[in-house]
Amino acid sequence: MNIELSVVIPVYNEEPGLAALFARLYPALDALRIPYEVVFVNDGSRDGSAAMLREQFQRRPDVTRVILFNGNFGQHMAIMAGFEQVRGRRIVTLDADLQNPPEEIGRLIAKMDEGYDYVGSIRRMRRDSAFRRIAGRAMNLVRERITRIRMTDQGCMLRAYSREIVDAINSCREISTYIPALAYTFAQRPVEIEVEHEERAAGESKYSLYQLIRLNFDLVTAFSLVPLQMFSLAGMLISLVSILFVIYLAVRRLLLGPEAEGLFTLFGIVFFLLGIALFGIGLLGEYLGRIAQQVRQRPRYLIQAVLEAEAGPEPKGEAARGVAGS
Ligand code: UDP
Ligand code: MG
Protein backbone atom coordinates (compact mmCIF):
# COMPACT_ATOMS: atom_id res chain seq x y z
CA MET A 1 0.00 0.00 0.00
CA ASN A 2 1.34 3.41 -0.89
CA ILE A 3 1.46 5.68 2.08
CA GLU A 4 0.21 9.16 1.28
CA LEU A 5 1.13 10.94 4.47
CA SER A 6 3.85 10.51 7.08
CA VAL A 7 3.65 12.54 10.27
CA VAL A 8 6.95 12.94 12.14
CA ILE A 9 6.76 13.86 15.82
CA PRO A 10 9.82 14.40 18.04
CA VAL A 11 9.15 13.53 21.67
CA TYR A 12 11.26 14.61 24.60
CA ASN A 13 9.88 14.24 28.12
CA GLU A 14 6.29 14.71 26.98
CA GLU A 15 4.67 12.10 29.23
CA PRO A 16 1.99 14.43 30.68
CA GLY A 17 0.70 15.40 27.26
CA LEU A 18 1.08 12.26 25.16
CA ALA A 19 -2.30 10.72 25.95
CA ALA A 20 -4.06 13.89 24.81
CA LEU A 21 -1.92 13.94 21.67
CA PHE A 22 -2.85 10.36 20.74
CA ALA A 23 -6.51 11.08 21.45
CA ARG A 24 -6.58 13.98 19.00
CA LEU A 25 -3.97 12.99 16.42
CA TYR A 26 -5.31 9.61 15.32
CA PRO A 27 -8.95 10.67 14.83
CA ALA A 28 -7.77 13.72 12.90
CA LEU A 29 -5.66 11.55 10.60
CA ASP A 30 -8.31 8.86 10.24
CA ALA A 31 -10.71 11.56 9.14
CA LEU A 32 -8.47 12.37 6.17
CA ARG A 33 -9.22 8.95 4.70
CA ILE A 34 -5.80 8.47 3.17
CA PRO A 35 -3.19 5.84 3.99
CA TYR A 36 -0.94 7.41 6.62
CA GLU A 37 1.73 6.59 9.16
CA VAL A 38 2.88 8.34 12.30
CA VAL A 39 6.58 8.22 13.10
CA PHE A 40 7.39 9.11 16.69
CA VAL A 41 11.00 9.76 17.55
CA ASN A 42 11.77 9.50 21.23
CA ASP A 43 14.70 11.82 21.77
CA GLY A 44 16.08 10.11 24.87
CA SER A 45 13.24 11.08 27.20
CA ARG A 46 13.95 10.47 30.85
CA ASP A 47 10.30 10.12 31.83
CA GLY A 48 7.74 7.52 30.78
CA SER A 49 7.40 8.79 27.22
CA ALA A 50 9.15 5.79 25.65
CA ALA A 51 6.86 3.36 27.45
CA MET A 52 3.79 5.32 26.36
CA LEU A 53 5.00 5.27 22.76
CA ARG A 54 5.50 1.50 22.97
CA GLU A 55 1.93 1.11 24.23
CA GLN A 56 0.61 3.30 21.47
CA PHE A 57 2.57 1.25 18.95
CA GLN A 58 0.88 -1.88 20.24
CA ARG A 59 -2.51 -0.20 20.01
CA ARG A 60 -2.11 0.97 16.39
CA PRO A 61 0.80 -1.02 14.88
CA ASP A 62 -0.66 -0.62 11.39
CA VAL A 63 -0.06 3.12 11.28
CA THR A 64 2.49 3.75 14.02
CA ARG A 65 6.24 3.54 14.00
CA VAL A 66 8.51 4.49 16.87
CA ILE A 67 12.19 5.33 16.72
CA LEU A 68 13.95 5.24 20.06
CA PHE A 69 17.15 7.25 20.37
CA ASN A 70 19.59 6.19 23.02
CA GLY A 71 20.28 9.74 24.10
CA ASN A 72 19.09 13.31 23.71
CA PHE A 73 20.24 14.59 20.33
CA GLY A 74 17.86 17.52 19.97
CA GLN A 75 14.60 18.22 18.20
CA HIS A 76 16.11 18.69 14.75
CA MET A 77 18.14 15.50 14.84
CA ALA A 78 15.01 13.66 15.95
CA ILE A 79 13.15 15.00 12.92
CA MET A 80 16.11 14.05 10.69
CA ALA A 81 15.96 10.48 11.97
CA GLY A 82 12.23 10.44 11.32
CA PHE A 83 12.81 11.71 7.78
CA GLU A 84 15.25 8.89 7.07
CA GLN A 85 12.57 6.36 7.98
CA VAL A 86 9.41 7.83 6.48
CA ARG A 87 7.69 6.09 3.60
CA GLY A 88 4.99 8.60 2.76
CA ARG A 89 4.63 10.70 -0.37
CA ARG A 90 4.15 13.77 1.79
CA ILE A 91 5.68 14.45 5.15
CA VAL A 92 4.31 16.63 7.93
CA THR A 93 6.22 17.57 11.08
CA LEU A 94 4.35 18.28 14.29
CA ASP A 95 5.36 19.01 17.88
CA ALA A 96 4.23 16.62 20.56
CA ASP A 97 2.97 19.34 22.86
CA LEU A 98 -0.28 20.08 20.98
CA GLN A 99 0.63 23.75 20.54
CA ASN A 100 -0.23 23.23 16.90
CA PRO A 101 -3.51 21.37 16.58
CA PRO A 102 -3.25 18.08 14.63
CA GLU A 103 -6.59 18.95 13.05
CA GLU A 104 -4.72 21.45 10.87
CA ILE A 105 -2.78 18.73 9.06
CA GLY A 106 -5.66 18.30 6.63
CA ARG A 107 -5.36 21.94 5.59
CA LEU A 108 -1.64 21.58 4.91
CA ILE A 109 -2.32 18.55 2.72
CA ALA A 110 -5.10 20.37 0.88
CA LYS A 111 -2.63 23.16 0.14
CA MET A 112 -0.15 20.64 -1.25
CA ASP A 113 -2.88 19.35 -3.54
CA GLU A 114 -2.80 22.78 -5.14
CA GLY A 115 0.71 22.01 -6.33
CA TYR A 116 2.98 23.42 -3.65
CA ASP A 117 5.90 21.33 -2.47
CA TYR A 118 6.48 23.11 0.85
CA VAL A 119 3.74 24.39 3.09
CA GLY A 120 5.01 26.56 5.93
CA SER A 121 2.83 27.96 8.65
CA ILE A 122 2.26 31.14 10.53
CA ARG A 123 0.89 30.98 14.02
CA ARG A 124 -2.31 32.96 14.29
CA MET A 125 -2.39 34.56 17.76
CA ARG A 126 0.83 33.04 18.98
CA ARG A 127 0.44 31.76 22.56
CA ASP A 128 3.92 32.09 23.94
CA SER A 129 5.53 34.45 26.41
CA ALA A 130 5.91 38.07 25.29
CA PHE A 131 9.67 37.71 25.45
CA ARG A 132 9.68 34.81 23.00
CA ARG A 133 7.36 36.62 20.64
CA ILE A 134 9.54 39.73 20.57
CA ALA A 135 12.83 37.84 20.37
CA GLY A 136 11.37 35.71 17.61
CA ARG A 137 10.37 38.75 15.60
CA ALA A 138 13.81 40.33 16.01
CA MET A 139 15.50 37.14 14.89
CA ASN A 140 13.21 36.94 11.89
CA LEU A 141 14.33 40.40 10.82
CA VAL A 142 18.01 39.49 11.05
CA ARG A 143 17.49 36.28 9.14
CA GLU A 144 15.51 37.97 6.37
CA ARG A 145 18.38 40.40 5.94
CA ILE A 146 21.26 38.00 5.73
CA THR A 147 19.87 34.78 4.28
CA ARG A 148 17.73 34.01 1.29
CA ILE A 149 15.20 32.29 3.48
CA ARG A 150 11.78 33.94 3.56
CA MET A 151 9.66 32.67 6.39
CA THR A 152 7.14 34.74 8.25
CA ASP A 153 7.27 32.56 11.33
CA GLN A 154 10.41 30.51 11.71
CA GLY A 155 9.46 28.94 14.99
CA CYS A 156 6.41 27.02 13.93
CA MET A 157 7.11 23.34 13.30
CA LEU A 158 3.77 22.34 11.81
CA ARG A 159 4.90 22.12 8.19
CA ALA A 160 4.42 19.87 5.18
CA TYR A 161 7.13 18.76 2.76
CA SER A 162 7.13 16.80 -0.46
CA ARG A 163 9.04 13.55 -0.77
CA GLU A 164 11.65 15.25 -3.00
CA ILE A 165 12.45 17.85 -0.35
CA VAL A 166 12.77 15.26 2.38
CA ASP A 167 15.06 13.17 0.16
CA ALA A 168 17.20 16.24 -0.39
CA ILE A 169 17.33 16.88 3.35
CA ASN A 170 18.29 13.26 3.91
CA SER A 171 21.28 13.66 1.65
CA CYS A 172 22.59 16.51 3.83
CA ARG A 173 25.01 15.39 6.47
CA GLU A 174 25.07 18.55 8.52
CA ILE A 175 25.03 18.46 12.25
CA SER A 176 23.80 21.86 13.33
CA THR A 177 20.81 22.65 11.23
CA TYR A 178 17.33 24.03 11.24
CA ILE A 179 14.95 21.86 9.27
CA PRO A 180 12.32 24.36 8.07
CA ALA A 181 15.09 26.59 6.72
CA LEU A 182 16.97 23.73 5.11
CA ALA A 183 13.78 22.52 3.50
CA TYR A 184 13.03 26.00 2.25
CA THR A 185 16.33 26.10 0.35
CA PHE A 186 15.22 23.00 -1.58
CA ALA A 187 11.64 24.06 -2.18
CA GLN A 188 10.50 25.02 -5.64
CA ARG A 189 7.02 26.25 -4.81
CA PRO A 190 6.86 27.21 -1.15
CA VAL A 191 3.76 28.69 0.40
CA GLU A 192 2.62 29.65 3.88
CA ILE A 193 -0.74 29.34 5.58
CA GLU A 194 -2.03 30.51 8.92
CA VAL A 195 -2.60 27.89 11.61
CA GLU A 196 -4.00 27.96 15.10
CA HIS A 197 -1.67 28.05 18.06
CA GLU A 198 -2.51 26.96 21.56
CA GLU A 199 -0.87 27.05 24.93
CA ARG A 200 1.24 24.04 25.71
CA ALA A 201 -1.26 21.35 26.76
CA ALA A 202 0.96 19.85 29.48
CA GLY A 203 4.57 19.74 30.57
CA GLU A 204 6.95 22.62 29.92
CA SER A 205 9.01 24.05 27.08
CA LYS A 206 12.17 22.09 26.39
CA TYR A 207 14.07 25.17 25.31
CA SER A 208 15.91 27.34 27.79
CA LEU A 209 16.98 30.84 26.82
CA TYR A 210 20.49 29.54 26.23
CA GLN A 211 19.30 26.81 23.88
CA LEU A 212 17.16 29.28 21.95
CA ILE A 213 20.21 31.46 21.43
CA ARG A 214 22.23 28.45 20.25
CA LEU A 215 19.44 27.48 17.88
CA ASN A 216 19.42 30.90 16.32
CA PHE A 217 23.19 30.76 15.80
CA ASP A 218 22.58 27.49 13.96
CA LEU A 219 19.95 29.14 11.89
CA VAL A 220 22.29 31.95 10.87
CA THR A 221 25.61 30.17 10.48
CA ALA A 222 24.12 27.20 8.67
CA PHE A 223 22.64 29.36 5.95
CA SER A 224 24.75 32.46 5.67
CA LEU A 225 28.35 33.60 5.56
CA VAL A 226 27.27 37.22 5.83
CA PRO A 227 28.28 37.70 9.49
CA LEU A 228 31.75 36.41 8.70
CA GLN A 229 32.04 38.49 5.54
CA MET A 230 30.74 41.59 7.25
CA PHE A 231 33.29 41.15 9.98
CA SER A 232 36.23 40.63 7.69
CA LEU A 233 35.22 43.57 5.50
CA ALA A 234 34.65 45.88 8.46
CA GLY A 235 37.87 44.62 10.02
CA MET A 236 39.86 45.45 6.91
CA LEU A 237 38.27 48.86 6.56
CA ILE A 238 38.90 49.74 10.17
CA SER A 239 42.50 48.55 10.12
CA LEU A 240 43.08 50.62 7.00
CA VAL A 241 41.70 53.71 8.69
CA SER A 242 43.75 53.06 11.81
CA ILE A 243 46.93 52.72 9.78
CA LEU A 244 46.22 56.14 8.28
CA PHE A 245 45.65 57.43 11.78
CA VAL A 246 48.95 56.00 13.05
CA ILE A 247 50.80 57.59 10.14
CA TYR A 248 49.12 60.88 10.96
CA LEU A 249 50.21 60.57 14.62
CA ALA A 250 53.78 59.73 13.59
CA VAL A 251 54.02 62.71 11.25
CA ARG A 252 52.48 64.96 13.86
CA ARG A 253 55.02 63.79 16.41
CA LEU A 254 57.92 64.51 14.06
CA LEU A 255 56.65 67.96 13.21
CA LEU A 256 55.20 69.15 16.54
CA GLY A 257 56.98 66.97 19.09
CA PRO A 258 55.48 64.51 21.61
CA GLU A 259 52.31 65.24 23.55
CA ALA A 260 50.54 63.69 26.51
CA GLU A 261 47.12 65.04 25.72
CA GLY A 262 44.97 62.94 23.53
CA LEU A 263 46.13 59.83 25.38
CA PHE A 264 42.60 58.86 26.22
CA THR A 265 41.46 59.24 22.67
CA LEU A 266 44.11 56.72 21.85
CA PHE A 267 42.79 54.42 24.58
CA GLY A 268 39.37 54.82 23.15
CA ILE A 269 40.54 53.78 19.76
CA VAL A 270 42.47 50.81 21.11
CA PHE A 271 39.49 49.55 23.03
CA PHE A 272 37.29 49.98 20.01
CA LEU A 273 39.66 47.93 17.88
CA LEU A 274 40.02 45.32 20.62
CA GLY A 275 36.26 45.07 20.83
CA ILE A 276 35.98 44.44 17.12
CA ALA A 277 38.76 41.87 17.26
CA LEU A 278 37.17 39.99 20.14
CA PHE A 279 33.77 40.03 18.52
CA GLY A 280 35.30 38.70 15.34
CA ILE A 281 37.19 35.97 17.12
CA GLY A 282 33.92 34.92 18.71
CA LEU A 283 32.26 34.90 15.33
CA LEU A 284 35.06 32.84 13.83
CA GLY A 285 34.63 30.49 16.75
CA GLU A 286 30.98 29.94 15.87
CA TYR A 287 31.87 28.86 12.36
CA LEU A 288 35.01 26.97 13.36
CA GLY A 289 33.16 25.02 16.01
CA ARG A 290 30.71 23.83 13.40
CA ILE A 291 33.47 22.91 10.98
CA ALA A 292 35.20 20.97 13.74
CA GLN A 293 32.02 19.04 14.44
CA GLN A 294 31.47 18.38 10.79
CA VAL A 295 34.92 17.02 10.04
CA ARG A 296 34.71 14.62 12.96
CA GLN A 297 31.98 12.85 10.98
CA ARG A 298 30.44 11.40 14.08
CA PRO A 299 27.02 9.88 13.71
CA ARG A 300 24.51 12.61 14.37
CA TYR A 301 22.33 10.36 16.45
CA LEU A 302 22.17 6.77 17.64
CA ILE A 303 19.07 4.67 17.30
CA GLN A 304 18.39 2.13 19.99
CA ALA A 305 15.40 0.45 18.39
CA VAL A 306 12.75 0.97 15.75
CA LEU A 307 9.29 -0.34 16.47
CA GLU A 308 7.35 -1.09 13.32
CA ALA A 309 4.91 -3.63 12.03
CA GLU A 310 6.52 -5.43 9.09
CA ALA A 311 10.29 -5.82 9.18
CA GLY A 312 11.54 -2.70 7.46
CA PRO A 313 15.10 -2.11 6.32
CA GLU A 314 17.84 -2.13 8.94
CA PRO A 315 18.11 1.17 10.82
CA LYS A 316 19.92 3.12 8.17
CA GLY A 317 23.42 4.56 7.87
CA GLU A 318 23.85 6.65 10.95
CA ALA A 319 23.30 4.01 13.59
CA ALA A 320 25.28 1.32 11.83
CA ARG A 321 28.18 3.66 11.32
CA GLY A 322 27.89 4.77 14.91
CA VAL A 323 28.71 1.28 16.12
CA ALA A 324 31.50 0.71 13.64
CA GLY A 325 33.05 4.13 13.75
CA SER A 326 33.24 5.23 17.36
N1 UDP B 1 12.04 18.17 21.57
C1 UDP B 1 12.92 17.11 21.29
N2 UDP B 1 14.20 17.15 21.77
C2 UDP B 1 14.67 18.21 22.50
C3 UDP B 1 13.79 19.30 22.73
C4 UDP B 1 12.49 19.24 22.26
O1 UDP B 1 12.54 16.14 20.63
O2 UDP B 1 15.83 18.20 22.90
C5 UDP B 1 10.66 18.12 21.05
C6 UDP B 1 9.57 18.31 22.10
O3 UDP B 1 9.20 17.08 22.68
C7 UDP B 1 8.45 18.89 21.28
C8 UDP B 1 9.18 19.71 20.24
O4 UDP B 1 10.50 19.19 20.19
O5 UDP B 1 7.69 17.90 20.62
C9 UDP B 1 9.17 21.20 20.54
O6 UDP B 1 9.62 21.44 21.85
P1 UDP B 1 8.94 22.55 22.78
O7 UDP B 1 7.45 22.48 22.63
O8 UDP B 1 9.48 22.37 24.15
O9 UDP B 1 9.50 23.87 22.14
P2 UDP B 1 8.76 25.29 22.14
O10 UDP B 1 7.34 25.07 21.73
O11 UDP B 1 8.88 25.81 23.53
O12 UDP B 1 9.54 26.07 21.14
MG1 MG C 1 5.99 23.84 22.00
Side-chain angles (χ1 to χ4, degrees):
M1 182 176 56
N2 285 334
I3 294 173
E4 277 292 309
L5 169 67
S6 298
V7 182
V8 176
I9 306 180
V11 177
Y12 179 54
N13 294 347
E14 300 283 3
E15 185 178 354
L18 276 182
L21 174 69
F22 299 152
R24 278 176 64 185
L25 177 68
Y26 284 84
L29 292 176
D30 288 329
L32 296 178
R33 308 197 163 281
I34 50 174
Y36 71 88
E37 64 172 1
V38 186
V39 180
F40 291 101
V41 187
N42 176 43
D43 187 16
S45 302
R46 284 186 301 273
D47 62 0
S49 298
M52 289 193 69
L53 292 176
R54 271 176 211 280
E55 263 171 45
Q56 181 60 25
F57 169 67
Q58 266 141 28
R59 230 171 285 141
R60 295 292 300 270
D62 50 327
V63 290
T64 308
R65 288 200 284 153
V66 181
I67 300 171
L68 300 169
F69 275 5
N70 69 3
N72 179 233
F73 296 93
Q75 180 185 0
H76 289 263
M77 281 308 118
I79 295 176
M80 282 285 203
F83 278 2
E84 302 222 327
Q85 308 273 339
V86 291
R87 302 186 184 131
R89 194 162 68 83
R90 289 163 175 174
I91 294 90
V92 168
T93 54
L94 180 73
D95 282 352
D97 58 3
L98 282 178
Q99 283 195 278
N100 293 120
E103 292 79 17
E104 302 270 28
I105 292 175
R107 290 186 44 228
L108 295 181
I109 295 302
K111 203 74 195 167
M112 290 200 98
D113 286 335
E114 292 173 25
Y116 298 98
D117 61 349
Y118 171 112
V119 186
S121 56
I122 307 163
R123 288 168 284 195
R124 189 183 302 141
M125 293 276 297
R126 182 169 171 193
R127 305 286 168 99
D128 273 320
S129 66
F131 169 75
R132 287 203 45 177
R133 286 201 306 267
I134 294 164
R137 218 169 295 149
M139 212 32 233
N140 254 355
L141 269 177
V142 174
R143 196 208 61 248
E144 296 259 309
R145 271 285 153 78
I146 65 175
T147 69
R148 287 186 303 113
I149 296 159
R150 300 282 166 266
M151 278 190 290
T152 316
D153 186 356
Q154 64 184 31
C156 188
M157 273 299 163
L158 175 62
R159 284 161 198 273
Y161 311 105
S162 71
R163 180 84 236 175
E164 288 72 29
I165 292 182
V166 168
D167 285 341
I169 293 177
N170 285 345
S171 68
C172 297
R173 308 246 56 87
E174 42 198 289
I175 290 168
S176 330
T177 197
Y178 197 80
I179 301 219
L182 190 59
Y184 184 92
T185 60
F186 296 126
Q188 283 169 352
R189 282 195 73 193
V191 70
E192 290 183 320
I193 64 171
E194 280 206 346
V195 295
E196 293 298 336
H197 193 238
E198 293 167 16
E199 305 247 6
R200 213 174 208 292
E204 52 194 28
S205 172
K206 304 301 178 296
Y207 283 100
S208 63
L209 177 60
Y210 174 73
Q211 285 167 318
L212 282 175
I213 294 173
R214 299 303 317 165
L215 197 68
N216 279 302
F217 264 116
D218 282 347
L219 186 54
V220 169
T221 59
F223 298 97
S224 168
L225 290 177
V226 170
L228 204 54
Q229 289 159 345
M230 242 165 48
F231 171 70
S232 53
L233 275 182
M236 277 190 268
L237 211 79
I238 288 169
S239 57
L240 218 74
V241 174
S242 29
I243 284 177
L244 291 180
F245 186 65
V246 169
I247 294 173
Y248 164 76
L249 285 181
V251 171
R252 192 184 150 90
R253 201 208 126 112
L254 287 177
L255 295 183
L256 302 178
E259 55 169 349
E261 281 98 356
L263 194 62
F264 280 79
T265 331
L266 212 59
F267 266 131
I269 293 163
V270 169
F271 285 144
F272 176 62
L273 290 182
L274 262 181
I276 299 247
L278 286 178
F279 175 77
I281 291 170
L283 198 59
L284 286 177
E286 288 293 331
Y287 282 93
L288 269 182
R290 284 166 178 79
I291 296 172
Q293 275 185 334
Q294 199 76 46
V295 296
R296 266 192 242 126
Q297 294 269 338
R298 291 207 188 129
R300 295 171 299 172
Y301 49 81
L302 298 172
I303 294 176
Q304 192 174 55
V306 179
L307 312 180
E308 57 189 0
E310 69 260 53
E314 287 281 292
K316 279 186 225 148
E318 302 281 340
R321 239 186 299 137
V323 177
S326 53

